[in-house]
Amino acid sequence: MKPGIAEPPTATAASVLQVRDGRTGREHELAIADGAIRATDLLGIGEPHTDHPGLMSYDPAFMNTASCRSAITYIDGDAGILRYRGYPIEQLAERLNHLDVAWLLINGELPDAATSADWAADVAGASELPREIVNLVATFPADAHPMAVLLAAWSALGAFHPEAKSVDDAAARDREVPRFLGSIASLVALVFRHRTGRPLDAPDTEADADYAARLLGAMFPESPNRSNRALARAVDVLLILQADHEQNASTNAVRAVGSTRVDPYSATAAGIAALYGPLHGGANEAVVRMLHDIGSVDRVPAYIESVKHGERKLMGFGHRVYKSYDPRAKIIRRTAEEVFAVTGTNPLLDVALAVERVALEDDYFVSRKLYPNVDFYSGLIYEAMGLPPDTYTTIFAVARMAGWVAQWLELIVDPEQKIARPRQIYTGPGERPLAEP
């Protein structure tokens, strides 16, 4: 049974914000619930002798605006805390696999052994792609960016499942969930094979392989490393760490598009499009390109100095939310070491480790709380495994699909949600007549 949305708490006398309007001298009381006021309550604070019905809040980039109430993910950026459904990310990444974490995100509780097995079988059984989708991927140039191909193919996949349009039918929604996780992994592997010149037909995978191992095997069907448990586990950890992250840009896109009651393939396609951006999912690709730009360990000090002078950016350091160490980075740093033990290091990885060492010892970065984030280490893992940089973000999409589905399902049953339609502050000219000819 999927968890519902709790009713908003009722404000008490002690949880009221008293506001005095300096324009009118009037005092207003705005209810505070969950540490927030409702923006619509500002409509009661009108400007006298005008047609303006009330105040708006202006918040470009949503720096301090809550668009929903969610029970899925909790983040405390100052303390470096990330929890899924209340469980610390450190414990989930250490003890569970991605599909069990996906079940937790979507359903609210961890699965028991029988449910876990059934869930894994359902996802595996829903992973086959229509032949037409395989043919569609084949039409793209081999050097097309994999995220562009993934976006187009995922959007097209929705046309093969018109039943997904019944978004208000709980049974119909539940039937689609395994297909989302199975299809995204199969499609990403297909796009990877196309990008790297491998045969497009899906390879056979071991019957007992878990989700991450199946993904790895479908990407590298000819490699002896496809069955390497350390590498499969590293992929599994990456998927868990990136499965959800509160109301980030791509999740906000999924919710905004989903609020129109469009089918979930179209809603999650919006998430893929947002993830494509270099400031979001493309950040780990930017990290590796930065390391290529540096080139060698002896050039690291000069690059760091150029960053301090504002001439370049240090990709993979710092985070919009975390003001201390990214908790995911601590986990993935250990995972990276395990991957390097299998793949060995290379000059680029040596450059990365030198960048990390210098930045962590430099007061400029420490004082600004610019610590390595999850993108820095995930890029290193993908580099060590032999993935081209432009394919990294597609793996991120596999991970985030679990969170997008959970967030979409929560949106659909939330009675407070309506079609997303932000206000604006108009800054253009007033009414003006068109010149006579």
Side-chain angles (χ1 to χ4, degrees), residues 259-416:
S259 73
T260 69
R261 248 43 187 189
V262 73
D263 70 273
Y265 289 92
S266 298
T268 50
I272 293 173
L275 200 66
Y276 191 177
L279 296 183
H280 191 15
N284 53 15
E285 179 181 344
V287 167
V288 173
R289 297 199 185 282
M290 174 192 73
L291 297 175
H292 279 288
D293 185 34
I294 296 173
S296 61
V297 171
D298 62 297
R299 296 179 60 183
V300 169
Y303 189 92
I304 292 294
E305 287 302 312
S306 70
V307 171
K308 292 162 67 173
H309 287 93
E311 299 167 358
R312 301 186 183 189
K313 291 185 178 180
L314 187 62
M315 304 305 296
F317 281 71
H319 196 277
R320 166 85 168 262
V321 173
Y322 297 113
K323 306 309 177 187
S324 62
Y325 211 95
D326 183 338
R328 301 168 300 171
K330 294 181 180 180
I331 302 167
I332 206 169
R333 180 67 174 84
R334 296 192 300 268
T335 303
E337 292 288 353
E338 294 168 1
V339 170
F340 301 160
V342 176
T343 64
T345 59
N346 63 34
L348 192 66
L349 298 179
D350 293 336
V351 172
L353 297 176
V355 169
E356 177 193 43
R357 183 172 58 255
V358 172
L360 290 179
E361 294 174 353
D362 193 304
D363 288 341
Y364 176 90
F365 299 101
V366 174
S367 64
R368 289 166 172 76
K369 299 182 179 179
L370 296 177
Y371 300 103
N373 59 38
V374 69
D375 296 312
F376 186 77
Y377 294 117
S378 62
L380 297 183
I381 289 175
Y382 294 143
E383 169 72 19
M385 293 173 64
L387 277 67
D390 58 7
T391 64
Y392 298 173
T393 312
T394 63
I395 310 297
F396 198 158
V398 176
R400 191 53 57 87
M401 186 58 69
W404 290 338
V405 170
Q407 298 274 352
W408 177 78
L409 289 168
E410 189 177 64
L411 160 81
I412 290 298
V413 300
D414 186 347
E416 287 195 301

Side-chain angles (χ1 to χ4, degrees), residues 30-382:
L30 306 179
I32 301 173
D34 289 335
I37 64 170
R38 287 184 175 269
T40 50
D41 287 350
L42 296 174
L43 294 173
I45 306 178
E47 187 174 348
H49 313 302
T50 71
D51 294 331
H52 297 170
L55 289 179
M56 292 190 297
S57 59
Y58 177 59
D59 188 9
F62 299 108
M63 297 294 289
N64 192 38
T65 295
S67 62
C68 65
R69 304 176 74 248
S70 179
I72 299 170
T73 297
Y74 173 79
I75 297 174
D76 184 333
D78 292 329
I81 292 173
L82 171 61
R83 300 176 189 142
Y84 295 164
R85 300 287 191 181
Y87 292 100
I89 190 64
E90 297 85 354
Q91 296 178 20
L92 296 173
E94 180 181 354
R95 303 179 190 176
L96 300 181
N97 62 53
H98 176 65
L99 281 188
D100 283 351
V101 171
W103 179 273
L104 170 68
L105 290 170
I106 293 167
N107 295 282
E109 299 294 341
L110 291 169
D112 58 29
T115 301
S116 175
D118 290 344
W119 166 235
D122 288 344
V123 171
S127 61
E128 185 175 355
L129 298 173
R131 188 67 203 179
E132 293 84 352
I133 295 296
V134 178
N135 295 338
L136 173 63
V137 169
T139 66
F140 286 89
D143 60 352
H145 197 291
M147 282 297 287
V149 180
L150 178 64
L151 175 59
W154 184 260
S155 299
L157 186 60
F160 291 87
H161 302 291
E163 64 277 11
K165 294 181 179 180
S166 302
V167 299
D168 292 314
D169 183 337
R173 295 196 302 267
D174 288 347
R175 284 193 297 269
E176 288 303 309
V177 170
R179 185 179 291 129
F180 270 78
L181 273 71
S183 295
I184 190 65
S186 294
L187 186 53
V188 163
L190 170 64
V191 172
F192 181 85
R193 295 196 301 274
H194 177 62
R195 168 68 177 82
T196 56
R198 291 172 166 85
L200 293 190
D201 287 338
D204 294 331
T205 55
E206 293 83 354
D208 60 345
D210 61 20
Y211 188 76
R214 290 172 66 87
L215 174 63
L216 190 62
M219 292 171 63
F220 297 98
E222 80 295 339
S223 172
N225 279 338
R226 63 177 293 184
S227 300
N228 187 285
R229 292 306 306 162
L231 297 185
R233 180 55 186 161
V235 172
D236 209 23
V237 170
L238 279 167
L239 297 180
I240 292 170
L241 296 181
Q242 296 179 324
D244 196 63
H245 209 239
E246 208 191 54
Q247 301 308 308
N248 55 82
S250 59
T251 298
N252 179 64
V254 171
R255 279 181 169 265
V257 173
S259 73
T260 69
R261 248 43 187 189
V262 73
D263 70 273
Y265 289 92
S266 298
T268 50
I272 293 173
L275 200 66
Y276 191 177
L279 296 183
H280 191 15
N284 53 15
E285 179 181 344
V287 167
V288 173
R289 297 199 185 282
M290 174 192 73
L291 297 175
H292 279 288
D293 185 34
I294 296 173
S296 61
V297 171
D298 62 297
R299 296 179 60 183
V300 169
Y303 189 92
I304 292 294
E305 287 302 312
S306 70
V307 171
K308 292 162 67 173
H309 287 93
E311 299 167 358
R312 301 186 183 189
K313 291 185 178 180
L314 187 62
M315 304 305 296
F317 281 71
H319 196 277
R320 166 85 168 262
V321 173
Y322 297 113
K323 306 309 177 187
S324 62
Y325 211 95
D326 183 338
R328 301 168 300 171
K330 294 181 180 180
I331 302 167
I332 206 169
R333 180 67 174 84
R334 296 192 300 268
T335 303
E337 292 288 353
E338 294 168 1
V339 170
F340 301 160
V342 176
T343 64
T345 59
N346 63 34
L348 192 66
L349 298 179
D350 293 336
V351 172
L353 297 176
V355 169
E356 177 193 43
R357 183 172 58 255
V358 172
L360 290 179
E361 294 174 353
D362 193 304
D363 288 341
Y364 176 90
F365 299 101
V366 174
S367 64
R368 289 166 172 76
K369 299 182 179 179
L370 296 177
Y371 300 103
N373 59 38
V374 69
D375 296 312
F376 186 77
Y377 294 117
S378 62
L380 297 183
I381 289 175
Y382 294 143

Side-chain angles (χ1 to χ4, degrees), residues 19-31:
V19 178
R20 183 179 184 276
D21 189 342
R23 302 167 301 176
T24 64
R26 295 177 181 173
E27 292 190 352
H28 303 267
E29 291 188 345
L30 306 179

